Amino acid sequence: MVNNLDTTRVSVVIPTYRDPLRAAALVRELRAQDLPVGVLLEIIVVDDGSGDNVARALALAVGDDAKVIDLPVNVGRSAARNAGTSEASSELIMFMDCDCLPETPRFIRAHLAAWDEGTVATIGHVVGNGEGFWHRYQSTSSLRRQRQHAAGVSYSGSSQNFMVRRTAFDACGGFDTAYRGYGFEDRDLQIRLMAHGEVRWAGDATVRHMDELCMSDVARKLAEAGGNSARIFRERHPEAYRQLGYSSLDVDWHPWLRLPATLAARMVPALARGLDRMLAKRWLPYPIASLLVRALSAASYLSGARPG
């Protein structure tokens, strides 16, 4: 349980871009949380330059349940989270994405229960929504990240479900705004936080990822991650990059992968669409479907890792 912290207020920071309905749904779920006695919840939603009066619609939807920050231009997830944190009034900051929902009304309690002296952050599970392939796949991936964390890779979690001590967050400079695209900004922050204390796994604090995933979207995001975000992370944290396994798909480190990466860039979109059709029919056994998704995920990352 949290010791020696001002826990009268927990500030939840939610970045969003042109997604007011799901952001408002998350605010409602958070307001229904069963909080410990004396703990108050502050909710800050950061509209990341959506334009078209989206922020105004969002403010009307959440009313007094949340504060809405309307950024004039799109700055990316890292800068949007930093902007929300700058408006927070708590020593504990909870980061969530607008496409996630707490799995239980005791979600905030579960994070707080994982804290003790010396803790600077807690990370929880991210699972899918429903009972289909992608729910099982995300749940399995989250369990793998938990095992990595237990084995000493304390930067294996996601900022979709992440609570941090404000003083440690400020001391290490917050999210690095050089990461504008998808991927690695959360792990980069977790590595820097480890210099200030322990990053713990809150096993009972789970969020459901409400997006309807498909292989085509996953492939696009992994190709994006394999580009600029991966290069920044690799340069700043080369040993962590190796431990997470991404170095084996890095063309700069393995020039012989240049041709496979070029071929992957040409083939992955069509292969991803084909796999989506097979997954929709639900006839593939899970082990085979999972193997195919992992193979295409690796090929997607490889395609984005091509130099220049």
Side-chain angles (χ1 to χ4, degrees):
M1 190 63 175
V2 181
N3 294 315
N4 300 322
L5 284 174
D6 174 13
T7 58
T8 60
R9 187 181 296 269
V10 175
S11 298
V12 184
V13 174
I14 306 164
T16 184
Y17 178 72
R18 296 188 177 179
D19 204 352
L21 295 180
R22 289 198 298 188
L26 174 53
V27 170
R28 290 193 295 271
E29 289 281 330
L30 289 169
R31 283 299 174 203
Q33 283 285 295
D34 174 18
L35 299 173
V37 174
V39 174
L40 301 177
L41 205 61
E42 175 185 56
I43 305 175
I44 300 170
V45 184
V46 184
D47 184 85
D48 190 9
S50 296
D52 297 326
N53 292 315
V54 170
R56 184 172 183 274
L58 176 58
L60 290 172
V62 301
D64 295 333
D65 285 336
K67 178 178 182 179
V68 176
I69 298 174
D70 182 9
L71 299 181
V73 295
N74 182 267
V75 296
R77 286 185 297 270
S78 293
R81 292 185 186 118
N82 289 347
T85 304
S86 69
E87 298 291 327
S89 62
S90 174
E91 172 62 6
L92 293 181
I93 310 295
M94 180 81 222
F95 293 105
M96 294 186 69
D97 285 355
C98 73
D99 59 1
C100 293
L101 292 174
E103 188 165 60
T104 74
R106 299 177 68 85
F107 168 73
I108 297 294
R109 279 182 178 266
H111 266 286
L112 295 175
W115 284 70
D116 63 12
E117 193 73 26
T119 303
V120 294
T122 49
I123 304 168
H125 285 293
V126 179
V127 302
N129 185 43
E131 300 299 330
F133 169 80
W134 287 107
H135 166 71
R136 184 173 177 182
Y137 189 82
Q138 288 182 93
S139 300
T140 301
S141 297
S142 192
L143 289 171
R144 183 183 69 251
R145 288 193 291 270
Q146 184 182 25
R147 290 193 297 271
Q148 288 177 323
H149 191 278
V153 184
S154 298
Y155 42 87
S156 57
S158 167
S159 53
Q160 292 169 292
N161 183 4
F162 181 45
M163 182 179 281
V164 62
R165 187 197 298 263
R166 172 68 175 273
T167 49
F169 182 86
D170 289 343
C172 70
F175 284 100
D176 189 334
T177 56
Y179 295 93
R180 279 193 56 92
Y182 179 82
F184 290 106
E185 82 283 352
D186 39 14
R187 289 168 174 175
D188 175 276
L189 174 60
Q190 289 158 26
I191 289 172
R192 289 181 284 118
L193 282 170
M194 289 165 58
H196 300 273
E198 184 180 5
V199 178
R200 302 191 67 192
W201 193 275
D204 294 328
T206 301
V207 300
R208 285 181 286 123
H209 186 204
M210 304 302 291
D211 261 353
E212 293 294 331
L213 291 185
C214 67
M215 189 66 236
S216 296
D217 286 345
V218 170
R220 176 182 53 79
K221 288 182 177 181
L222 285 170
E224 184 179 344
N228 189 58
S229 293
R231 294 185 186 103
I232 296 170
F233 188 83
R234 179 189 68 200
E235 291 169 5
R236 296 180 183 175
H237 311 289
E239 185 53 38
Y241 190 64
R242 289 189 186 92
Q243 283 190 300
L244 290 168
Y246 293 106
S247 62
S248 63
L249 297 170
D250 194 290
V251 176
D252 284 337
W253 282 10
H254 305 290
W256 64 271
L257 287 172
R258 187 183 298 270
L259 178 58
T262 300
L263 294 174
R266 295 174 180 173
M267 298 172 62
V268 162
L271 291 172
R273 291 192 296 271
L275 182 54
D276 280 332
R277 289 192 291 270
M278 287 190 285
L279 292 175
K281 294 179 180 178
R282 301 189 176 188
W283 57 266
L284 275 178
Y286 177 79
I288 295 175
S290 177
L291 180 64
L292 291 173
V293 167
R294 292 199 304 272
L296 270 181
S297 295
S300 301
Y301 183 90
L302 177 62
S303 72
R306 293 172 297 160

